[in-house]
Amino acid sequence: DPATGEVLALANLATDPATGGVGNSTKNTAVTDNYEPGSVNKVITLAAALEEGLVQPDTKVTVPDHLQVSDHVFSDHDPHPTEDYSVTRILTESSNIGTITLGQRVGAKRLEELLRSFGFGARTELDLPGESRGLLSSSDDWYPTDLASISFGQGIAVTPVQLGAR
């Protein structure tokens, strides 16, 4: 229920490899399986930068085509010249580099705190058997490139229900 967040129904189907038939699954993949949230996580990073008062939707950020962080070079999906993007444009164009830049402004410790406040790294209150906490390590243990990759949704993992509940 979008108004309350209450889960009204939850079903998992599986295909029988022998017959090709579809039926109920004994594995509740909605709460057991983890995946990287990818670009969905950009919204959280942008929200963190807004919440911290570091930017406004029209704030301009210089966004190059690629960015070296420690020993890794990150890039946007489509090549482009260095340009000033508004925070709104960073989101609408799903810019990895723009999001990394905002994540760096927020900082690792604060980004981790905000991810945890969204429930990442913790089980939901559904109390279903086998539910995963997802994967979110302490920012104290992050490698130099982790802030960058986590800013745009790589290097962490969530369950479908965890992401949907937020």
Side-chain angles (χ1 to χ4, degrees):
D1 181 344
T4 65
E6 180 183 16
V7 176
L8 303 176
L10 182 64
N12 290 273
L13 300 175
T15 303
D16 183 331
T19 66
V22 176
N24 289 332
S25 172
T26 58
K27 184 177 180 190
N28 194 351
T29 59
V31 298
T32 61
D33 289 5
N34 290 287
Y35 65 96
E36 290 181 326
S39 292
V40 173
N41 207 57
K42 291 175 181 172
V43 175
I44 295 173
T45 302
L46 269 64
L50 291 165
E51 179 75 19
E52 294 299 300
L54 301 170
V55 295
Q56 297 297 317
D58 60 349
T59 299
K60 298 290 186 184
V61 177
T62 301
V63 179
D65 173 59
H66 62 279
L67 180 67
Q68 178 141 3
V69 177
S70 187
D71 61 349
H72 186 77
V73 177
F74 293 92
S75 64
D76 276 337
H77 182 267
D78 296 316
H80 60 82
T82 298
E83 292 185 60
D84 288 339
Y85 282 27
S86 68
V87 171
T88 301
R89 183 177 175 195
I90 288 170
L91 182 60
T92 60
E93 294 197 16
S94 194
S95 170
N96 292 340
I97 304 304
T99 307
I100 289 168
T101 302
L102 295 177
Q104 289 172 331
R105 290 183 185 183
V106 171
K109 185 63 79 183
R110 186 65 180 134
L111 184 59
E112 179 201 352
E113 289 170 359
L114 289 164
L115 289 167
R116 291 196 188 281
S117 76
F118 274 90
F120 291 0
R123 291 178 182 86
T124 68
E125 295 177 6
L126 295 176
D127 196 32
L128 292 171
E131 182 176 1
S132 172
R133 297 179 310 130
L135 302 170
L136 176 59
S137 61
S138 167
S139 58
D140 292 336
D141 299 326
W142 289 1
Y143 291 101
T145 55
D146 284 346
L147 174 59
S149 59
I150 290 170
S151 292
F152 65 86
Q154 294 180 356
I156 62 173
V158 296
T159 66
V161 166
Q162 221 177 16
L163 189 60
R166 307 306 171 214

